[in-house]
Amino acid sequence: AVAGESGSGKTTLASLLLGFLLPSEGEIRFRGENIAKLPAAKRRSFRREVQAVFQDPFAAYNPFYRVDHVLTEPLHLFGLVRSRHRAREMMEAACERVGLHPQDTLGRFPHELSGGQRQRLMVARALLLHPKLLIADEPVSMIDASLRAIVLSSLRTLNTEFGIPILYITHDLTTAYHVANAIIVLYRGTIVEAGDAESVILNPQHPYTQLLVDSIPSPDLDTPWGNGRPLSDGFSAPTAESAGGCPFIARCPHAMPRCATQLPPLYAQNSRQAVRCVLHEDAPRFEEDGLSDLLHLNASPSKEIPQ
Ligand code: SF4
């Protein structure tokens, strides 16, 4: 998961990874190649292998077409089927894999399905293309709370059954805790904390992660919001003082003068967590090229999805 509030850079990151935006610095590589310079054939494979599920489960549909259209279009576009019968079989199998009954789903118009069904159909669409990576950008933030679990569990199934890596982008640490193995917390485009999701969320070390965790409402009305810590009132514009320093300085209750002059490096808390804050400078420095090991991103490759 990549977590952070609005303006932290989550959606920009998703757009960069999907090739919708070009990076102003550096490059994004897929199978070792810069995605901005892929030749046409590889670009086509990249488009098929890196799939996305976006926030608004209605915007992806054309209200004048039956929902089948969002499934048949990519099958034809990428030349994956030759007959309508085969296309139907593949669509039905994909629906079943995300817990939708084909007979209740296919043939309907978008407004006849619930937000959760529409979003699960987008997951089914991604699945049809055998993705090697699925980018889910706030996939449940516009869905009724009662339907979120079912969408998240269909995403989780793609990961556990077919080994498809999922980048789950969210502002909501509660869902990140339930679905993610590893988490990066972003603040204004900077990684402030990273590691095993359980360690980071249950034992947050960066003042910003602590603020995010404290902002999760407790069902116990006697527990004050914020765990007694002062809650920040949200976004603060970057200041001249914070340029080049810690991006969280304007909201940090522990800020000190030197936080304004230098962006702290990441410090290793243990083998499962790293934090970017001078409060942890007694810990060993964490080299950022070790992030994929920390996050266990070199996991087993995805398996073939039976059709
Ligand atoms: Fe706060 Fe300084 Fe740590 Fe930034 S580096 S989070 S301002 S204590």
Side-chain angles (χ1 to χ4, degrees):
V2 172
E5 63 195 9
S6 302
S8 60
K10 308 183 301 288
T11 295
T12 303
L13 176 67
S15 300
L16 286 164
L17 295 177
L18 288 160
F20 297 165
L21 285 178
L22 288 178
S24 48
E25 253 181 66
E27 57 190 50
I28 293 168
R29 295 188 196 151
F30 181 68
R31 299 187 186 284
E33 291 190 60
N34 182 351
I35 63 168
K37 295 185 178 160
L38 291 175
K42 287 187 175 171
R43 183 147 199 86
R44 198 174 158 78
S45 310
F46 171 77
R47 282 266 167 264
R48 184 167 71 80
E49 293 184 336
V50 181
Q51 287 296 308
V53 175
F54 294 110
Q55 186 172 23
D56 183 351
F58 202 68
Y61 294 86
N62 183 330
F64 296 106
Y65 286 105
R66 295 179 197 278
V67 296
D68 309 32
H69 187 68
V70 297
L71 301 179
T72 50
E73 197 186 23
L75 285 177
H76 293 306
L77 189 67
F78 291 106
L80 299 179
V81 281
R82 293 212 173 82
S83 72
R84 290 173 70 171
H85 174 70
R86 181 72 189 121
R88 177 81 193 186
E89 276 180 353
M90 289 171 72
M91 285 157 50
E92 288 182 0
C95 285
E96 280 164 5
R97 277 194 199 101
V98 297
L100 290 170
H101 298 297
Q103 63 277 22
D104 297 338
T105 313
L106 300 176
R108 293 186 182 265
F109 285 98
H111 69 270
E112 296 180 288
L113 301 182
S114 70
Q117 287 172 314
R118 285 194 289 261
Q119 198 62 306
R120 273 188 288 162
L121 206 56
M122 294 316 293
V123 177
R125 177 189 192 272
L127 188 60
L128 273 177
L129 298 176
H130 295 195
K132 300 293 181 217
L133 172 66
L134 182 66
I135 297 178
D137 186 4
E138 301 267 20
V140 293
S141 62
M142 290 178 72
I143 294 178
D144 285 351
S146 59
L147 301 170
R148 281 181 197 156
I150 204 156
V151 173
L152 289 173
S153 100
S154 62
L155 279 173
R156 181 108 196 159
T157 304
L158 300 194
N159 179 256
T160 50
E161 272 188 32
F162 304 116
I164 299 169
I166 298 175
L167 178 69
Y168 176 60
I169 294 179
T170 185
H171 64 278
D172 175 7
L173 286 190
T174 315
T175 56
Y177 178 71
H178 285 285
V179 302
N181 303 103
I183 187 165
I184 285 175
V185 182
L186 273 189
Y187 187 76
R188 281 206 193 126
T190 302
I191 296 174
V192 294
E193 188 156 1
D196 175 291
E198 200 170 316
S199 308
V200 170
I201 296 171
L202 295 185
N203 189 23
Q205 296 297 313
H206 192 279
Y208 175 58
T209 322
Q210 289 169 351
L211 176 74
L212 285 180
V213 171
D214 286 348
S215 307
I216 299 171
S218 165
D220 177 2
L221 295 180
D222 294 331
T223 305
W225 233 337
N227 256 335
R229 278 189 267 231
L231 288 172
S232 163
D233 61 356
F235 188 80
S236 59
T239 58
E241 306 87 72
S242 66
C246 172
F248 192 58
I249 187 169
R251 294 167 68 186
C252 181
H254 311 287
M256 45 195 115
R258 66 204 174 96
C259 302
T261 53
Q262 207 179 5
L263 179 68
L266 284 169
Y267 295 103
Q269 291 305 289
N270 46 52
S271 60
R272 295 151 57 116
Q273 199 167 351
V275 58
R276 190 186 300 283
C277 174
V278 294
L279 298 175
H280 298 270
E281 64 190 350
D282 291 340
R285 276 173 80 137
F286 180 85
E287 296 306 327
E288 302 207 14
D289 56 10
L291 266 177
S292 48
D293 288 335
L294 178 78
L295 301 173
H296 303 291
L297 297 185
N298 302 317
S300 52
S302 54
K303 300 168 200 151
E304 270 312 301
I305 302 167
Q307 291 291 336

